[in-house]
């Protein structure tokens, strides 16, 4: 049996929650959505949460709510999933890549400063693997240059920064509920914010730019009346997904505790080995461990990956520096270089990391990795 790098944990309660919603009056635009939004807002300590169809849609509506448009520049990390940068392009704005810190693999505030121009409008900070970025430094930069901060927390549900939950700190924070993430709704996403104006814009962009809120309407022809005030999308999450998400939330603390236990065991197993660099920790950052990424420094990384695949261990590599993707290379990013990102990419391997990984499976992974190093 293949041990994947990540996977969901669905139990009978989850299935029952979905079945009940299927039998209810609302499959979408019903009460489960607000319940799920409240559960996430409460958990992260944010005023508002807006559920959407996936984590990429969450990033897109966050960029729309931020008012990003052609001519604007947004600074983000190259060591992330392409969606963290694509959402900027969706708005006609320009992603600018700042290099990463070689210890945490998160965006380096010093390089953010170097990449700021008079066109810079926002920073998208990605909490790679679930380890919070240097948010104090990033917020300081944002304050100095009057920039908006969006956190891509697809990896970081349940992570803390200096005692504050990720999702409560910046202008907006986005989450994903893809099956490999901490909790799943199949596909799904959420944006949290403490800003009422941004919240209202997120709601608008999630659903066609249409409002029925009488306090926002420019005129009112009658009870059927609605207005399209912006060019929005259909990025709604369903009640079916929200019911699953709500049920998953009940297990989130357990899922994270288990992920932390797995990370500690990997750290112990590999910390004294020449040829492996374990993930670097920063003071005040409590990682929620979406991924467990090692660097293999003395072996050919590709050979190690192939050998582990041959042992039925589904290791993966996160991430290929975004600007090296053919689309980016052929759209103005031909000469972009982030040396730290390119160096670690050569060495990265993501080991199996998910709550349902058994002790026996993890022992097997550790043994196979040690044999190859
Ligand atoms: C998963 C992920 C996304 C996209 O989320 P989807 O729900 O798959 O659209 C965005 N950013 C990062 C860093 C991710 O890991």
């Amino acid at each position: 049996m293949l041990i994947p790098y990540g996977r969901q944990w669905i139990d009978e309660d989850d299935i029952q929650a979905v079945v009940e919603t299927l039998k209810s009056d609302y499959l979408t635009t019903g009460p489960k959505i607000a319940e799920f939004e409240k559960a996430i807002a409460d958990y992260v300590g944010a005023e508002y949460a807006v559920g959407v169809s996936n984590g990429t849609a969450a990033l897109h509506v966050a960029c729309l709510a931020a008012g990003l448009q052609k001519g604007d520049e947004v600074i983000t990390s190259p060591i992330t999933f392409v969606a963290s940068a694509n959402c900027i392009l969706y708005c006609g704005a320009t992603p600018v890549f700042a290099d990463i810190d070689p210890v945490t693999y998160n965006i380096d505030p010093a390089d953010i400063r170097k990449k700021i121009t008079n066109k810079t409008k926002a920073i998208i900070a990605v909490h790679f693997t679930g380890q919070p970025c240097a948010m104090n430094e990033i917020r300081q930069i944002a304050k100095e240059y009057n920039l908006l901060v969006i956190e891509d927390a697809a990896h970081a549900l349940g992570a803390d920064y200096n005692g504050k939950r990720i999702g409560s700190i910046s202008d907006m924070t986005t989450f994903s509920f893809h099956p490999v993430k901490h909790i799943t709704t199949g596909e799904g996403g959420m944006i949290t914010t403490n800003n009422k104006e941004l919240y209202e814009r997120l709601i608008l962009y999630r659903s066609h730019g249409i409002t029925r809120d009488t306090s926002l309407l420019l005129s009112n022809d009658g009870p059927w009346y609605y207005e399209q005030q912006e060019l929005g999308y259909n990025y709604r999450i369903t009640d079916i997904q929200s019911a699953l998400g709500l049920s998953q939330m009940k297990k989130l603390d357990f899922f994270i505790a288990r992920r932390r236990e797995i990370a500690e065991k990997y750290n112990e197993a590999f910390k004294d080995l020449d040829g492996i660099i374990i993930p670097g920790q920063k003071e005040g950052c409590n990682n929620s461990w979406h991924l467990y990424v090692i660097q293999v420094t003395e072996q050919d990384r590709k050979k190690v990956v192939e050998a582990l695949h041959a042992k039925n261990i589904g290791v993966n590599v996160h991430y290929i520096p975004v600007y090296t993707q053919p689309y980016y290379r052929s759209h103005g990013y031909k000469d972009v270089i982030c040396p730290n990102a390119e160096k670690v990419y050569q060495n990265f391997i993501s080991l199996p990391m998910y709550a349902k990984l058994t002790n026996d499976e993890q022992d097997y992974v550790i043994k196979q990795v040690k044999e190859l190093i």
Side-chain angles (χ1 to χ4, degrees):
M1 246 245 316
L2 179 83
I3 304 173
Y5 84 87
R7 67 159 297 166
Q8 72 277 16
W9 186 337
I10 298 290
D11 65 17
E12 275 307 315
D13 289 346
D14 296 325
I15 294 165
Q16 220 32 59
V18 170
V19 169
E20 270 169 39
T21 299
L22 285 171
K23 291 176 179 170
S24 77
D25 290 338
Y26 288 97
L27 301 186
T28 189
T29 66
K32 286 291 167 198
I33 297 170
E35 264 186 73
F36 183 38
E37 288 171 340
K38 184 166 187 321
I40 294 282
D42 288 350
Y43 185 83
V44 305
E47 287 287 321
Y48 308 101
V50 177
V52 291
S53 46
N54 56 66
T56 305
L59 284 162
H60 187 191
V61 290
C63 288
L64 290 166
L68 294 182
Q69 51 188 326
K70 196 169 162 49
D72 294 341
E73 292 178 357
V74 180
I75 299 174
T76 192
S77 170
I79 294 293
T80 184
F81 185 53
V82 291
S84 313
N86 288 347
C87 60
I88 303 162
L89 292 174
Y90 296 160
C91 299
T94 304
V96 174
F97 295 95
D99 207 353
I100 56 155
D101 174 315
V103 174
T104 64
Y105 315 139
N106 276 329
I107 195 164
D108 176 5
D111 208 46
I112 292 178
R113 280 187 186 278
K114 289 187 194 148
K115 301 288 161 72
I116 287 177
T117 72
N118 56 11
K119 293 180 179 166
T120 308
K121 286 281 152 44
I123 299 167
I124 299 182
V126 185
H127 307 301
F128 178 65
T129 75
Q131 164 145 270
C133 295
M135 291 314 300
N136 279 352
E137 289 82 348
I138 290 170
R139 288 179 66 190
Q140 178 58 35
I141 295 169
K143 211 170 121 191
E144 277 173 47
Y145 293 92
N146 194 23
L147 310 176
L148 220 98
V149 179
I150 299 170
E151 295 174 45
D152 179 346
H155 296 189
L157 183 59
D160 304 303
Y161 179 76
N162 288 339
K164 283 190 106 174
R165 257 304 142 67
I166 292 299
S168 66
I169 299 170
S170 294
D171 296 294
M172 290 179 276
T173 304
T174 68
F175 296 94
S176 163
F177 309 125
H178 180 278
V180 296
K181 309 288 162 72
H182 290 86
I183 62 162
T184 190
T185 59
E187 299 278 359
M190 192 87 71
I191 310 98
T192 60
T193 181
N194 293 318
N195 181 317
K196 184 152 187 278
E197 241 169 80
L198 288 173
Y199 170 69
E200 282 170 356
R201 291 168 66 77
L202 291 167
I203 294 280
L204 211 55
Y205 284 114
R206 167 175 68 175
S207 194
H208 309 284
I210 285 176
T211 185
R212 292 172 184 277
D213 183 339
T214 50
S215 70
L216 300 174
L217 294 176
L218 301 177
S219 64
N220 194 346
D221 290 356
W224 67 87
Y225 189 71
Y226 59 82
E227 279 176 358
Q228 186 198 334
Q229 299 180 337
E230 297 287 349
L231 183 60
Y233 296 80
N234 179 354
Y235 280 162
R236 293 187 302 265
I237 192 169
T238 66
D239 283 63
I240 306 166
Q241 291 164 306
S242 300
L244 178 53
L246 267 169
S247 177
Q248 288 262 297
M249 277 304 282
K250 294 182 188 151
K251 291 163 283 216
L252 176 56
D253 283 337
F254 160 72
F255 287 166
I256 292 170
R258 177 65 189 135
R259 283 172 179 270
R260 287 186 171 138
E261 203 171 77
I262 291 166
E264 249 168 62
K265 187 163 168 175
Y266 278 141
N267 281 343
E268 271 310 304
F270 300 136
K271 69 175 191 218
D272 297 325
L273 281 187
D274 289 339
I276 291 185
I277 299 175
I278 62 169
Q281 300 277 9
K282 273 264 158 91
E283 185 78 15
C285 292
N286 195 7
N287 195 329
S288 61
W289 297 105
H290 161 56
L291 297 172
Y292 187 90
V293 174
I294 56 170
Q295 286 192 66
V296 172
T297 52
E298 283 167 28
Q299 309 287 328
D300 181 324
R301 186 264 310 267
K302 187 175 170 204
K303 290 213 174 89
V304 174
V305 168
E306 285 167 349
L308 290 169
H309 284 180
K311 299 285 184 186
N312 279 326
I313 302 170
V315 293
N316 208 331
V317 171
H318 300 90
Y319 288 98
I320 306 156
V322 174
Y323 60 80
T324 68
Q325 294 291 350
Y327 181 86
Y328 280 83
R329 284 301 194 208
S330 63
H331 286 79
Y333 293 80
K334 194 160 63 73
D335 300 320
V336 172
I337 298 172
C338 292
N340 292 340
E342 300 202 9
K343 182 155 179 280
V344 295
Y345 165 61
Q346 295 303 323
N347 298 340
F348 270 174
I349 299 180
S350 300
L351 299 182
M353 167 56 85
Y354 49 94
K356 215 169 184 177
L357 185 72
T358 66
N359 287 329
D360 285 351
E361 286 169 335
Q362 190 181 9
D363 290 340
Y364 174 75
V365 172
I366 289 169
K367 181 162 168 279
Q368 297 304 327
V369 170
K370 280 186 167 171
E371 273 176 21
L372 288 164
I373 298 304

